[in-house]
């Protein structure tokens, strides 16, 4: 178990990176607390796996340092880091039995035979593999194989951290819920530092205490699920998390007033307006905090359609040629074509070039 | 509904049937014809029954050739398969080295058999050949025209030089198809270099190795041209493998009946052995087999 520190870390897959765009991972400095359960969330190709491989030692970063409990590990190979990693697609040793597959990481590290046996049986029990321990691993189904991969990641009792790289991709949905619950439980029981890479927000939000949202090689926000929901630090976090995502509206700022076309919105004292405005000024508000009213009670908008997604209905409106989604409270009356929208001011955020405008920032 | 019988489809397989007839069936039947009959020329045949077969199976000359053949095939498999895998493992996986290595490896395979024989025939000569001259000046007596051991060494070395590349290329293709994640997982699991080979690389190239072994076995079992060019089957009959011997009987002695019978036995041996190799190496292991622990 260890506290993992990333210092000025950046990585490029090119030999001589020239500018920002050549970096798969832009410069970052972060601390991952000992015993934390982190989810790395972001769309495909945003650098999640790169970051994971740098932590586990499969990749040496172009610049910066990786520290475990203050010790510089940047150039240490994976064997020396004592880290477990589970990959997206099943990796099993075909010629071995399920038992030997699970025992492999322990035997390579010269664990006592009795300890090996105890750990293997524990992990097999947890993953429901006990009755298959003696079978050859080669002819099992894909999700069974992935469970073995998962088991190999969990079998070592003394690891500094366990890294999961979208481990449940090949597992069927029902099993996914079960395994995710078990991983969460495991984290509670053993308090390993866990990093879980995924592009599925539900998976990230249910698994992790802290979610690290990545976008184009940058960590845009680290926060609890509530923080990501309440106060997205970047417009990307706003619409990547939440269903439907946050409404992001282009606007014009004049003093403490925001203009959406010819419609005016007063900002609260809590909203920070920097002296130098960014090139792109936007307002963000979650659909949960948008109320659909009669035309004269809010900003005039046109109702396009209503989506019924089962648990609730989503009104799709256009306000000054920009799309706005609003979640309708249960049993609420449907407004007519012309309607008004009201934004709850305390949940309205101002973004400069994508980043949340905050005091002191 | 009434089923309409349509026999026209037979015409569609006719070309294949004709090709197989002319390329395999008719030549084979000609051999069978000679094997069971005797002829003194003039297209006159007399029924001989199993006489030629008994004759061949009881001849010590055939036995000797057969054992030489087994020894030769066994030796070159023992050398070429491990050597090929080792070379494939040490070839670069990316960069400029890849095409260079591949071209170098492919070169021996592109040289015609008799040219390979000629190269080694000259290479091994004690008077003007680099190999023969160098070995002898090191104080080791070597002469493939008079010493059976020298002849064997030359023929085996020549085959290794000519055909190891094939094993290398097959094994290399197999190795290249292993996803990177396997190596990453092995590093995370703390596997040694040997464990990576034993548990990842070897199981993953097993199938191509089966093909390599089969190809090399069948080819080496039928070897003719190279030893014929280098040693002519000698000294004495030290390097007279089955094909060499067969040609001596058929063309040298013009003993067609005996040669035909030998051809059939030879053919059946290759067929049977290939089948055995294939079944043994591709046998699906029993799933509930208890392994390890």
């Amino acid at each position: 178990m260890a506290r993992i520190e990333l210092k000025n870390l950046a990585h490029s897959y090119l030999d001589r990176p020239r500018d920002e765009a050549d970096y798969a991972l832009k410069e970052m400095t972060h601390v991952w607390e000992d015993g934390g359960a982190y989810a790395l969330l972001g769309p495909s190709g945003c650098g999640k796996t790169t970051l994971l491989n740098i932590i586990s030692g499969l990749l040496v970063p172009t610049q910066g340092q990786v520290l475990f409990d203050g010790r510089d590990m940047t150039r240490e190979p994976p064997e020396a880091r004592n880290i477990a990693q589970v990959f997206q697609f099943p990796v099993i040793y075909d010629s071995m039995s399920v038992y030997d597959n699970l025992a492999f990481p322990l035997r390579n590290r010269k664990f006592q035979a009795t300890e090996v046996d105890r750990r293997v049986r524990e992990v097999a029990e947890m993953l429901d593999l006990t009755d298959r321990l003696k079978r050859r691993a080669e002819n099992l189904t894909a999700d069974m194989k992935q469970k073995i991969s998962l088991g190999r990641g969990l079998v070592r009792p003394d690891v500094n951290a366990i890294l999961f790289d979208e481990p449940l991709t090949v597992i069927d949905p029902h099993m996914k819920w079960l395994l995710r619950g078990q991983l969460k439980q495991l984290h509670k029981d053993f308090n390993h530092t866990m990093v879980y890479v995924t592009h599925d927000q539900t998976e990230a939000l249910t698994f992790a205490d802290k979610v690290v949202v990545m976008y184009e090689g940058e960590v845009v926000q680290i926060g609890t699920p509530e923080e990501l929901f309440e106060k997205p630090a970047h417009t990307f976090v706003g619409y990547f998390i939440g269903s439907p995502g946050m409404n992001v509206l282009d606007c014009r700022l004049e003093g403490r007033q925001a203009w959406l076309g010819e419609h005016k919105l007063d900002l609260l004292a809590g909203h920070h307006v920097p002296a130098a405005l960014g090139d792109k000024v936007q307002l963000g508000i979650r659909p949960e905090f948008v109320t659909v009213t009669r035309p004269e009670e809010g900003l005039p908008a046109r109702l396009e359609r209503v989506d019924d997604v089962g648990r609730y209905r989503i009104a799709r409106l256009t306000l000054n040629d920009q799309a706005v989604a609003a979640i309708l409270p249960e049993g609420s009356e449907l407004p007519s074509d012309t309607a008004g929208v009201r934004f709850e001011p305390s949940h309205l955020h101002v973004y400069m070039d994508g980043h949340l405008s905050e005091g002191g920032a | 509904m009434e089923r309409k019988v349509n026999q026209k489809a037979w015409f569609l397989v006719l070309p294949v049937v004709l090709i197989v007839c002319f390329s395999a069936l008719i030549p084979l039947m000609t051999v069978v014809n000679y094997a069971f009959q005797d002829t003194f020329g003039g297209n006159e045949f007399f029924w001989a029954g199993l006489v030629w077969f008994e004759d061949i199976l009881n001849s010590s000359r055939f036995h000797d050739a057969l054992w030489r053949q087994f020894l030769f095939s066994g030796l070159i498999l023992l050398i070429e398969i491990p050597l090929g895998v080792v070379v494939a493992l040490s070839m670069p996986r990316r960069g400029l080295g890849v095409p260079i290595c591949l071209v170098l490896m492919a070169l021996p395979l592109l040289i015609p058999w008799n040219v390979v024989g000629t190269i080694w025939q000259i290479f091994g000569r004690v008077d003007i050949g680099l190999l023969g001259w160098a070995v002898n000046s090191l104080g080791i007596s070597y002469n493939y025209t008079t010493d059976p051991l020298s002849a064997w060494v030359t023929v085996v070395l020549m085959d290794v030089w000519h055909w190891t590349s094939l094993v290398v290329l097959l094994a290399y293709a197999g190795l290249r198809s292993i996803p990177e994640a396997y190596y990453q997982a092995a590093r995370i699991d703390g596997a040694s270099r040997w464990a990576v080979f034993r548990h990842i690389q070897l199981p993953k190239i097993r199938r191509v190795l089966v093909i390599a072994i089969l190809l090399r076995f069948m080819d080496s079992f039928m070897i003719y041209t190279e030893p014929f060019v280098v040693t002519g089957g000698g000294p004495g009959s030290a390097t007279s493998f089955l094909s060499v011997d067969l040609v001596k009987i058929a063309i040298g002695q013009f003993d067609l009946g005996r040669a035909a019978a030998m051809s059939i036995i030879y053919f059946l041996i290759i067929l049977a052995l290939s089948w055995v190799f294939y079944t043994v190496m591709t046998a699906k292991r029993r799933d509930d087999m208890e392994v390890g622990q």
Side-chain angles (χ1 to χ4, degrees):
Chain A
M1 278 159 251
R3 179 173 184 267
I4 300 171
E5 255 179 288
L6 310 175
K7 261 193 191 163
N8 307 321
L9 194 74
H11 186 73
S12 169
Y13 285 103
L14 304 175
D15 287 335
R16 272 181 293 275
R18 269 178 253 273
D19 56 3
E20 274 284 274
D22 285 348
Y23 281 87
L25 214 57
K26 313 244 161 75
E27 191 168 313
M28 58 175 73
T29 298
H30 292 292
V31 176
W32 311 60
E33 293 300 339
D34 183 14
Y38 292 91
L40 261 178
L41 179 66
S44 303
C46 71
K48 294 170 303 200
T49 301
T50 305
L51 182 54
L52 210 63
N53 287 347
I54 287 174
I55 296 176
S56 65
L58 292 171
L59 269 179
V60 174
T62 311
Q63 66 162 69
Q65 286 179 301
V66 181
L67 309 175
F68 284 15
D69 286 331
R71 247 187 81 207
D72 187 0
M73 288 294 216
T74 318
R75 272 156 213 293
E76 296 289 331
E79 305 87 273
R81 299 185 186 206
N82 204 13
I83 264 194
Q85 186 169 2
V86 179
F87 298 89
Q88 184 172 6
F89 295 103
V91 174
I92 56 148
Y93 303 107
D94 289 336
S95 53
M96 295 189 209
S97 67
V98 174
Y99 186 99
D100 290 337
N101 258 282
L102 294 177
F104 192 59
L106 297 175
R107 288 181 179 154
N108 285 331
R109 288 180 172 77
K110 311 267 178 275
F111 275 71
Q112 293 276 313
T114 49
E115 171 76 355
V116 171
D117 191 61
R118 198 178 58 76
R119 288 294 303 168
V120 167
R121 289 186 191 285
E122 252 176 54
V123 169
E125 190 61 42
M126 190 168 72
L127 295 170
D128 197 18
L129 288 169
T130 308
D131 55 337
R132 291 188 174 78
L133 276 178
K134 290 181 181 174
R135 282 188 50 179
R136 193 172 274 279
E138 194 176 10
N139 302 318
L140 297 174
T141 57
D143 59 342
M144 208 61 88
K145 285 182 180 176
Q146 185 64 353
K147 278 200 204 168
I148 297 171
S149 293
L150 211 56
R152 277 209 323 276
L154 304 175
V155 78
R156 280 150 56 197
D158 60 339
V159 284
N160 281 323
I162 307 179
L163 313 179
F164 300 96
D165 191 356
E166 310 200 24
L168 303 181
T169 310
V170 295
I171 307 242
D172 66 50
H174 160 73
M175 198 65 213
K176 250 185 206 178
W177 279 103
L178 224 72
L179 282 177
R180 216 182 291 147
Q182 276 169 339
L183 289 181
K184 182 102 186 157
Q185 186 58 41
L186 194 84
H187 177 252
K188 273 202 196 115
D189 293 347
F190 296 102
N191 225 23
H192 287 303
T193 308
M194 289 190 178
V195 182
Y196 191 106
V197 165
T198 178
H199 59 251
D200 178 343
Q201 50 161 315
T202 335
E203 212 162 277
L205 299 177
T206 50
F207 174 79
D209 310 330
K210 283 246 172 122
V211 179
V212 179
V213 185
M214 292 190 65
Y215 177 60
E216 291 184 344
E218 263 179 282
V219 170
V220 286
Q221 187 167 13
I222 301 184
T224 60
E226 294 81 54
E227 283 167 351
L228 297 184
F229 185 79
E230 294 280 336
K231 217 173 176 189
H234 191 276
T235 48
F236 172 75
V237 180
Y239 55 68
F240 197 68
I241 289 173
S243 174
M246 185 171 70
N247 296 303
V248 179
L249 306 165
D250 293 330
C251 74
R252 216 169 67 239
L253 276 188
E254 277 174 18
R256 300 206 55 83
Q257 288 167 338
W259 289 84
L260 290 161
E262 64 267 29
H263 311 299
K264 185 183 73 175
L265 269 175
D266 288 319
L267 299 181
L268 296 181
H271 287 128
H272 176 76
V273 178
L277 298 179
D279 290 336
K280 204 160 82 183
V281 183
Q282 288 164 311
L283 294 179
I285 179 123
R286 293 223 172 257
E288 286 82 353
F289 306 115
V290 179
T291 323
V292 182
T293 64
R294 282 201 290 274
E296 60 276 15
E297 287 168 354
L299 304 173
R302 203 171 63 248
L303 180 70
E304 302 290 346
R305 65 173 203 273
V306 175
D307 297 337
D308 194 334
V309 293
R311 275 182 303 129
Y312 48 79
R313 289 175 302 162
I314 305 163
R316 305 282 183 182
L317 306 110
T318 40
L319 166 63
N320 193 38
D321 288 336
Q322 302 196 68
V324 177
I327 291 187
L328 298 170
E330 229 174 306
S332 66
E333 211 179 298
L334 265 187
S336 57
D337 281 3
T338 49
V341 289
R342 215 167 45 214
F343 300 149
E344 220 167 285
S346 58
H347 287 102
L348 191 69
H349 305 293
V350 182
Y351 293 91
M352 296 291 162
D353 296 329
H355 292 277
L356 181 67
S357 169
E358 281 180 298
Chain B
M1 210 171 82
E2 202 183 325
R3 253 182 85 151
K4 220 179 133 197
V5 179
N6 186 342
Q7 303 281 17
K8 281 183 202 131
W10 289 108
F11 286 103
L12 299 179
V13 292
L14 198 61
V16 177
V17 171
L18 282 176
I19 288 171
V20 171
C21 276
F22 279 101
S23 71
L25 225 51
I26 294 175
L28 189 69
M29 283 320 291
T30 317
V31 175
V32 171
N33 227 5
Y34 278 108
F36 290 97
Q37 298 181 81
D38 197 2
T39 176
F40 303 103
N43 216 12
E44 272 185 282
F45 289 93
F46 306 93
W47 178 251
L50 294 174
V51 170
W52 300 128
F53 289 91
E54 281 163 16
D55 198 49
I56 284 292
L57 288 173
N58 288 323
S59 90
S60 61
R61 179 178 167 178
F62 175 73
H63 294 167
D64 291 348
L66 187 61
W67 286 123
R68 271 196 291 276
Q69 189 66 69
F70 274 120
L71 185 65
F72 177 74
S73 288
L75 267 177
I76 65 104
L77 282 182
L78 276 178
I79 298 172
E80 288 176 14
I81 300 295
L83 184 64
V85 172
V86 168
V87 172
L89 282 172
S90 44
M91 269 169 64
R93 264 194 276 170
R94 59 181 71 85
L96 194 64
V98 177
I100 293 174
C101 282
L102 287 179
V103 169
L104 284 179
M105 283 297 139
L107 274 181
L109 300 177
L110 299 175
I111 301 176
W113 292 262
N114 54 350
V115 176
V116 171
T118 309
I119 290 174
W120 281 81
Q121 202 258 348
I122 296 170
F123 190 43
R125 275 175 69 163
V126 288
D127 50 353
I128 56 163
L130 189 59
L131 175 77
W133 178 82
V135 169
N136 274 298
S137 32
L138 285 174
I140 304 163
S141 144
Y142 165 90
N143 188 339
Y144 63 76
T145 54
T146 56
D147 172 26
L149 184 67
S150 300
W152 266 83
V153 169
T154 312
V155 174
V156 168
L157 214 59
M158 174 172 61
D159 199 77
V160 169
W161 177 83
H162 196 184
W163 290 110
T164 304
S165 296
L166 181 75
V167 183
V168 173
L169 293 180
L170 284 168
Y172 186 69
L175 287 171
R176 283 288 291 268
S177 69
I178 302 174
E180 191 57 32
Y182 278 83
Y183 296 112
Q184 295 181 336
R187 291 180 68 190
I188 298 284
D189 289 340
S192 61
R193 182 69 193 82
W194 167 251
V196 170
F197 175 70
R198 170 71 189 77
H199 297 298
I200 296 175
Q201 290 170 325
L202 195 57
K204 293 278 175 207
I205 60 170
R206 208 182 70 212
R207 274 166 220 282
V208 288
L209 282 188
V210 169
I211 294 174
I213 291 173
L214 267 180
L215 284 177
R216 281 317 299 132
F217 168 74
M218 291 191 300
D219 249 12
S220 67
F221 212 79
M222 296 186 281
I223 190 166
Y224 173 74
T225 316
E226 299 100 313
F228 175 75
V229 174
V230 179
T231 63
S237 54
T239 53
S240 285
F241 303 119
L242 284 177
S243 291
V244 180
D245 209 32
L246 178 63
V247 173
K248 276 187 195 166
I249 294 173
I251 305 200
Q253 300 162 214
F254 217 69
D255 203 345
L256 294 181
R258 210 172 264 115
M262 185 173 165
S263 299
I264 289 172
I265 294 166
Y266 192 1
F267 171 65
L268 291 178
I269 291 173
I270 292 182
L271 202 67
L273 285 175
S274 299
W275 178 76
V276 168
F277 265 99
Y278 185 79
T279 351
V280 167
M281 287 186 292
T282 58
K284 212 172 171 68
R285 295 163 191 147
R286 261 174 42 232
D287 202 29
D288 53 352
M289 192 159 98
E290 301 206 1
V291 266
Q293 272 223 40

